[in-house]
Amino acid sequence: MLVLLPPSEGKAAAGSGAPLALDGLVLPELGPARSRVLDALVTLCASGDEDRAAAVLGLSPGLRGEIARNTVLRTAPTLPAGELYTGVLYDALELSTLSPEAYARAERSLLVFSGLWGPVRISDRIPPYRCSGGVKLPPLGPLGSYWRKETAAAMQRAAGGGLVLDLRSSAYAALWRPQGEVAGRTATVRVLHEREVGGVVKRTVVSHFNKATKGRIVRELLESAAEPESPAELAEVLRELKYTVEAEAPAAGKAWTLDVVVSEL
């Protein structure tokens, strides 16, 4: 099983390890593509035009310090990606408290998609940075379309012949889209909050708790040592883990959507 995760806006403040080694990241064939994005980002942030850099990166006034941080990414101390990201999903996943066996499974099966690095393992060492997947980075253009082209072959191989559980948000799902036969064994998850309002049962899509629920799902799958081989098997495993799951087989060549229904947030 391959699990695709988004990064988080929340990040650790600093690393403490050796500087970046692009050839040490997962899928090393993506090294040249990563280097081009890194060069473009450093050039933008070192240009001296802070207003332009902030506009391109979508930074609020309070985050302008990230521009200077981006200029030294090649020499900055690094830390494992699993320790770098600190957002809601990662808080719920609690990688540091997984059992040794579950953590080993996480190192094998989790891929985090980044606007700067593309896909990385949780053990890949990278420095703190600021560059979201929705950025249009000159001269490369939209990073979604840039990475979609660059990752096509590498991710096809990484997906192998097993289940792909895609938990990425839309901005990061654009960096690689499963196609054809791989799409048919890909599952996405939608978290729905079910509650009664004025005697009528309603369901709504939630945001914050969507991320937390996905983090808990990944954690429980890792700790359970379950190895579902298809979206249908995944739905059954989640039901065994006491989740309410609704799913229907899609048309051939389309990804499955698993609706996880929660009554408490």
Side-chain angles (χ1 to χ4, degrees):
M1 179 173 62
L2 185 65
V3 181
L4 311 182
L5 299 177
S8 67
E9 289 297 310
K11 297 180 180 69
S16 59
L20 177 70
L22 283 178
D23 58 0
L25 303 184
V26 72
L27 304 176
E29 63 267 40
L30 295 178
R34 290 175 173 132
S35 188
R36 286 191 290 273
V37 181
L38 181 57
D39 286 345
L41 180 61
V42 170
T43 298
L44 171 70
C45 292
S47 68
D49 190 342
E50 188 174 286
D51 288 342
R52 177 171 180 259
V56 169
L57 298 176
L59 300 181
S60 65
L63 291 175
R64 286 206 170 200
E66 300 292 329
I67 297 171
R69 183 197 293 270
N70 281 347
T71 66
V72 294
L73 288 173
R74 287 194 179 273
T75 57
T78 61
L79 71 168
E83 297 175 18
L84 172 66
Y85 298 115
T86 61
V88 173
L89 187 153
Y90 294 89
D91 283 347
L93 176 51
E94 290 187 287
L95 285 166
S96 65
T97 65
L98 289 172
S99 67
E101 297 79 11
Y103 193 87
R105 285 189 284 275
E107 288 186 308
R108 293 193 303 270
S109 63
L110 304 187
L111 278 182
V112 182
F113 272 70
S114 159
L116 174 54
W117 315 111
V120 294
R121 295 282 193 204
I122 61 168
S123 55
D124 284 350
R125 301 191 68 93
I126 52 178
Y129 66 95
R130 185 67 58 170
C131 183
S132 73
V135 163
K136 294 181 180 179
L137 186 63
L140 302 178
L143 289 177
S145 55
Y146 172 84
W147 279 117
R148 195 157 58 247
K149 177 181 177 181
E150 297 292 342
T151 59
M155 283 303 303
Q156 187 81 12
R157 291 190 294 271
L163 170 68
V164 177
L165 174 55
D166 190 352
L167 301 178
R168 298 173 296 167
S169 54
S170 58
Y172 294 96
L175 275 60
W176 176 66
R177 292 195 176 112
Q179 302 291 326
E181 183 268 336
V182 177
R185 48 186 167 84
T186 296
T188 63
V189 169
R190 182 173 62 168
V191 180
L192 301 176
H193 181 209
E194 184 175 86
R195 59 198 177 102
E196 186 174 317
V197 179
V200 178
V201 175
K202 294 186 177 182
R203 288 180 175 179
T204 55
V205 178
V206 292
S207 176
H208 176 92
F209 294 99
N210 166 61
K211 296 175 184 178
T213 300
K214 287 178 178 178
R216 288 192 291 269
I217 284 173
V218 175
R219 181 182 178 85
E220 292 182 45
L221 287 172
L222 293 170
E223 289 287 10
S224 73
E227 293 290 348
E229 297 182 357
S230 69
E233 288 185 18
L234 173 63
E236 288 305 314
V237 168
L238 291 178
R239 292 179 185 120
E240 291 171 5
L241 292 171
K242 308 305 180 185
Y243 287 95
T244 299
V245 180
E246 298 176 358
E248 291 185 7
K254 300 292 185 181
W256 289 57
T257 297
L258 306 186
D259 284 341
V260 175
V261 184
V262 298
S263 57
E264 296 183 0
L265 297 178

